[in-house]
C-alpha cells in the first residue's frame, strides 16, 4: 500500500483503485525561472589557490556583518577592529573567517604516514574532540579565540562571523559570536485563499533512487505510475495533475560498495590478467544496465511532468561542489523530451515567485562529522544564519577553487530549502529576525525509506508519501 499525510493520498485499499477508465487530465503549469547559473563552471582552471575563495567569501559577507553591528549592536558603542590593530584589554568587534583546528581531522599526510607504517585507521563518524580550537582570520592577520568549549564544538569551520570581546596576551577572549543572519527574502506571492484548491500546486522532491537494486526498481516504478497519473481513481489522478514539477536530488545510481577500483594495484593478487579484465568488464556492464534502467524511468516521467535531475555523490559527474549537470549522453531516450532538465548541485530556481534552494545533502552530511550538532535541521539553519550553503568547503568538503567569487553565499533567502539523501524525513519552519520564513526539508533516501515529498506552493506545507513494502511484494 501507499501511505501519506497528504490530502490527496492514494487509498490504501487496492480494490478501490479504478484503472478501467482513461480520462485525460491536463497537468497544471507554473512559471519557472532557473537561478543556478552561478554554479555553472565555464572555464575550468585549477592553477589558483583556495585562499581566493576564502577572500571572496570574507569580502562579500563582511558588509552584511558591518550592517548588523551598526544597527542591532550599536548599543555597545565599541569599535570594529582588525586583528593587527587590536589593543590589549580593549573591548571591540572583530570580523573574520573562522578556521576550526581539529587534531582528529583526517589529512592526506596523516593517511600517507599511517599507510607507510601499516597502521590501520579506525573509522570515525565524528572528529570532534576537547582539543579543538577556533582561529579567526581577516585580511590583516589571524588570532586564536578563547571561548567556551561547547561553542567550539558547535561552530562550523569556514563561516564568516563577528566576535565581541577583548585581546588578552596575544589571544582574543570571546564574549559573543555574531552571525550574519538570514539574507533578505522576496515577498511571497498572494494567492486567493477563498477559492479552495484553485491555487494549489505541488512540487515533488525525491532523492537516493539508487537504481540498480531490484526492490528499488519496483518501488521506483510505482512512484512513476503515481506521478504520471496511471495509478489510482479518477479523483486521485485529477489531483496528481496538480504536481507541476519533480526534483530528483542526487544519488540516482546505486553505488557498488563491493567493488573499489582503488583496491587495484601492483600487488593485487590476480590469478590472471584475464580474470582482472573480466571483473572490470562485469562491473562496467552492471553500471551500464543501471543507466539504461534510469533512462527508461526518466523517459516515462519526462513524458508527463517536468523533471529536474541533480547529481549526487554516487552519480557520474565531478566530485567537488558545485557538481555540474549530468551529461545528456547518459540519457539517450529521455533527453528527447524537452521536459527533462539536468541541473547543478546545489540547485536554485523559482516557481511562481517561490524561491527554492537545495543540495543533494553533501554539505550537511559533511558538517555532521565536524561538529556536535547532530540534528540535520539545526545544521540547515546554521547555513542560513551563516548565509552560506557550504561553509565547510573547501576545508573538509571538496569544492572548485573559484577566483574572486564564492557562489555558495546566500544572497536571497529561499522560501523552500531542501537537502537530499538524509536518514529520515524532517521538516520545520525557520523564522528570520526580519520576517523571513523558510520551509526546511530533509528528503529521505528513497532506496531505504521508499518516501518522496510533496510541497504545496500556496501554503508551503509539505507531506511525505510512503510506498509501503506490502505493495512491492
Amino acid at each position: 500500500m501507499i501511505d501519506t499525510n497528504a490530502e490527496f493520498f492514494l487509498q490504501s485499499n487496492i480494490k478501490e483503485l479504478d484503472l478501467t477508465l482513461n480520462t485525460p487530465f491536463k497537468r497544471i503549469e507554473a512559471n519557472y525561472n532557473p537561478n543556478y547559473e552561478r554554479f555553472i563552471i565555464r572555464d575550468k582552471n585549477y592553477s589558483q589557490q583556495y585562499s581566493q575563495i576564502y577572500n571572496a567569501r570574507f569580502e562579500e559577507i563582511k558588509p552584511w556583518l558591518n550592517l548588523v553591528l551598526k544597527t542591532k549592536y550599536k548599543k555597545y558603542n565599541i569599535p570594529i577592529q582588525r586583528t593587527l590593530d587590536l589593543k590589549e584589554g580593549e573591548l571591540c568587534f572583530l570580523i573574520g573567517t573562522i578556521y576550526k583546528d581539529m587534531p582528529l581531522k583526517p589529512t592526506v599526510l596523516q593517511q600517507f604516514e599511517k599507510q607507510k607504517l601499516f597502521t590501520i585507521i579506525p573509522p570515525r563518524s565524528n572528529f570532534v574532540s576537547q582539543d579543538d580550537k577556533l582561529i579567526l582570520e581577516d585580511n590583516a592577520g589571524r588570532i586564536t579565540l578563547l571561548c567556551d568549549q561547547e561553542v567550539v564544538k558547535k561552530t562550523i569551520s569556514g563561516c564568516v562571523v563577528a566576535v565581541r570581546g577583548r585581546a588578552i596576551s596575544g589571544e582574543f577572549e570571546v564574549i559573543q559570536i555574531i552571525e550574519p543572519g538570514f539574507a533578505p527574502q522576496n515577498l511571497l506571492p498572494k494567492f486567493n485563499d477563498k477559492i479552495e484548491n484553485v491555487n494549489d500546486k505541488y512540487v515533488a522532491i525525491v532523492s537516493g533512487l539508487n537504481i540498480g537494486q531490484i526492490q528499488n526498481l519496483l518501488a521506483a516504478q510505482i512512484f512513476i505510475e503515481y506521478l504520471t497519473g496511471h495509478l489510482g481513481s479518477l479523483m486521485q489522478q485529477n489531483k496528481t495533475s496538480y504536481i507541476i514539477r519533480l526534483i530528483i536530488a542526487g544519488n540516482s545510481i546505486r553505488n557498488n560498495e563491493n567493488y573499489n577500483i582503488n583496491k587495484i594495484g601492483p600487488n593485487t593478487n590476480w590469478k590472471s590478467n584475464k580474470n582482472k579484465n573480466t571483473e572490470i568488464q562485469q562491473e562496467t556492464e552492471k553500471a551500464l544496465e543501471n543507466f539504461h534502467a534510469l533512462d527508461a524511468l526518466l523517459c516515462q516521467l519526462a513524458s508527463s511532468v517536468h523533471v529536474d535531475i541533480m547529481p549526487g555523490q554516487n552519480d557520474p559527474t565531478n566530485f567537488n561542489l558545485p557538481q555540474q549537470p549530468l551529461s545528456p549522453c547518459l540519457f539517450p531516450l529521455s533527453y528527447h523530451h524537452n521536459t527533462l532538465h539536468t541541473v547543478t548541485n546545489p540547485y536554485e530556481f523559482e516557481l511562481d515567485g517561490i524561491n527554492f534552494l537545495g543540495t543533494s545533502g553533501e554539505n550537511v552530511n559533511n558538517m555532521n562529522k565536524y561538529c556536535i550538532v547532530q540534528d540535520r535541521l539545526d545544521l540547515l539553519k546554521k547555513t542560513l544564519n551563516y548565509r552560506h550553503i557550504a561553509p565547510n568547503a573547501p576545508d573538509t568538503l571538496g569544492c572548485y577553487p573559484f577566483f574572486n567569487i564564492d557562489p555558495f553565499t546566500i544572497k536571497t533567502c529561499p522560501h523552500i530549502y531542501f537537502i537530499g539523501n538524509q536518514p529520515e524525513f524532517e521538516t520545520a519552519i525557520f523564522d528570520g529576525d526580519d520576517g523571513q520564513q523558510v520551509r526546511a526539508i530533509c528528503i529521505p533516501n528513497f532506496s531505504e525509506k521508499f518516501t518522496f515529498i510533496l510541497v504545496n506552493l500556496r501554503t508551503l506545507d509539505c507531506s511525505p508519501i510512503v510506498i509501503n513494502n506490502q505493495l512491492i511484494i
Side-chain angles (χ1 to χ4, degrees):
M1 57 181 285
I2 299 177
D3 188 17
T4 183
N5 295 325
E7 177 186 358
F8 55 99
F9 162 61
L10 297 178
Q11 299 176 7
S12 59
N13 190 351
I14 300 179
K15 294 181 181 179
E16 295 180 6
L17 300 181
D18 185 1
L19 302 178
T20 58
L21 298 177
N22 187 19
T23 302
F25 295 100
K26 183 179 179 181
R27 194 172 292 276
I28 303 300
E29 296 291 334
N31 294 322
Y32 168 73
N33 182 27
N35 295 324
Y36 61 92
E37 178 65 27
R38 70 181 189 274
F39 299 123
I40 298 291
I41 304 174
R42 300 297 181 187
D43 299 316
K44 296 181 181 179
N45 181 5
Y46 291 90
S47 62
Q48 59 264 26
Q49 296 293 321
Y50 277 108
S51 59
Q52 299 296 331
I53 191 173
Y54 280 120
N55 290 336
R57 183 182 308 175
F58 174 74
E59 293 298 334
E60 189 160 358
I61 297 180
K62 181 182 176 181
W64 300 338
L65 282 166
N66 276 324
L67 181 62
V68 170
L69 295 180
K70 291 177 181 178
T71 55
K72 299 181 180 180
Y73 293 88
K74 62 180 181 181
K75 62 181 180 180
Y76 293 106
N77 194 26
I78 56 177
I80 301 174
Q81 299 283 23
R82 301 189 310 162
T83 52
L84 289 182
D85 301 327
L86 289 175
K87 298 178 182 179
E88 184 77 11
E90 180 189 43
L91 197 64
C92 65
F93 290 115
L94 274 182
I95 298 177
T97 305
I98 293 290
Y99 170 71
K100 191 172 183 179
D101 185 27
M102 306 180 69
L104 296 182
K105 181 175 67 177
T107 65
V108 175
L109 291 178
Q110 289 177 351
Q111 292 177 356
F112 176 77
E113 289 177 357
K114 292 180 179 181
Q115 183 179 8
K116 191 175 181 180
L117 296 173
F118 302 101
T119 303
I120 299 177
I121 304 175
R124 282 183 174 272
S125 59
N126 192 279
F127 300 97
V128 175
S129 72
Q130 291 293 334
D131 298 324
D132 297 345
K133 60 182 180 180
L134 300 182
I135 299 172
L136 184 137
E137 181 175 344
D138 59 14
N139 53 9
R142 56 165 48 190
I143 190 170
T144 300
L145 301 181
L146 300 176
C147 51
D148 186 78
Q149 192 61 30
E150 288 300 309
V151 175
V152 175
K153 292 180 179 180
K154 293 179 180 179
T155 304
I156 306 298
S157 183
C159 61
V160 180
V161 298
V163 292
R164 180 169 64 92
R166 56 177 60 88
I168 298 178
S169 302
E171 298 178 317
F172 194 82
E173 184 183 54
V174 176
I175 299 175
Q176 183 182 10
I177 295 180
I178 302 165
E179 299 167 348
F182 288 19
Q185 188 181 56
N186 296 331
L187 293 176
L188 284 170
K190 295 183 179 179
F191 296 97
N192 189 353
D193 294 333
K194 296 180 180 179
I195 306 177
E196 186 178 2
N197 294 331
V198 168
N199 295 307
D200 280 341
K201 298 179 182 179
Y202 296 85
V203 174
I205 310 177
V206 68
S207 69
L209 291 175
N210 289 316
I211 299 300
Q213 301 177 14
I214 296 177
Q215 65 271 28
N216 295 353
L217 192 59
L218 292 172
Q221 188 60 48
I222 296 172
F223 162 66
I224 290 169
E225 295 292 329
Y226 173 76
L227 286 184
T228 55
H230 292 97
L231 189 66
S233 65
L234 290 178
M235 181 182 67
Q236 293 158 350
Q237 292 176 20
N238 179 42
K239 291 179 178 179
T240 303
S241 67
Y242 286 85
I243 301 175
I244 58 176
R245 207 169 194 93
L246 167 66
I247 313 299
I248 302 177
N251 288 0
S252 300
I253 294 295
R254 177 179 67 97
N255 181 25
N256 190 352
E257 299 176 352
N258 297 323
Y259 179 75
N260 186 356
I261 193 68
N262 295 322
K263 294 180 181 179
I264 301 175
N267 298 323
T268 304
N269 185 22
W270 299 98
K271 293 182 179 179
S272 66
N273 287 334
K274 182 179 179 180
N275 290 344
K276 173 181 177 180
N277 294 333
T278 301
E279 181 176 346
I280 295 176
Q281 183 179 358
Q282 289 176 349
E283 295 300 330
T284 303
E285 291 175 353
K286 290 179 182 177
L288 289 175
E289 290 177 1
N290 294 341
F291 276 110
H292 292 325
L294 176 62
D295 188 22
L297 294 177
L298 290 176
C299 188
Q300 296 179 64
L301 286 168
S303 65
S304 174
V305 65
H306 284 277
V307 179
D308 298 334
I309 180 168
M310 301 166 55
Q313 185 177 5
N314 300 341
D315 298 323
T317 185
N318 58 299
F319 176 78
N320 292 339
L321 293 181
Q323 289 184 304
Q324 299 303 285
L326 296 171
S327 174
C329 68
L330 298 173
F331 313 112
L333 294 177
S334 52
Y335 218 82
H336 289 295
H337 297 281
N338 59 8
T339 50
L340 178 68
H341 315 275
T342 56
V343 298
T344 59
N345 172 34
Y347 178 39
E348 186 174 16
F349 64 99
E350 189 178 286
L351 278 177
D352 281 355
I354 307 296
N355 185 260
F356 283 72
L357 176 64
T359 74
S360 296
E362 293 83 2
N363 56 337
V364 170
N365 293 339
N366 183 268
M367 284 189 288
N368 184 257
K369 300 177 182 179
Y370 297 95
C371 70
I372 61 172
V373 180
Q374 296 300 303
D375 188 277
R376 305 302 174 102
L377 289 175
D378 288 343
L379 290 173
L380 264 185
K381 189 173 184 179
K382 274 185 171 294
T383 63
L384 289 171
N385 278 316
Y386 292 147
R387 296 198 187 186
H388 202 277
I389 300 171
N392 45 337
D395 182 20
T396 60
L397 181 65
C399 77
Y400 178 78
F402 288 96
F403 183 77
N404 288 337
I405 62 167
D406 184 356
F408 304 110
T409 55
I410 302 175
K411 300 178 180 63
T412 302
C413 186
H415 300 110
I416 307 291
Y417 191 19
F418 65 90
I419 52 169
N421 301 289
Q422 297 306 298
E424 301 288 342
F425 164 71
E426 295 179 276
T427 185
I429 291 285
F430 296 147
D431 295 319
D433 293 337
D434 300 317
Q436 303 96 325
Q437 277 200 335
V438 182
R439 164 66 70 179
I441 312 172
C442 293
I443 312 298
N445 192 319
F446 184 84
S447 63
E448 297 177 359
K449 301 299 181 179
F450 303 107
T451 302
F452 63 96
I453 311 301
L454 290 176
V455 181
N456 188 321
L457 293 187
R458 180 174 62 88
T459 63
L460 301 189
D461 292 336
C462 69
S463 301
I465 293 185
V466 182
I467 301 176
N468 196 300
N469 290 336
Q470 294 179 7
L471 187 59
I472 298 174
I473 296 175

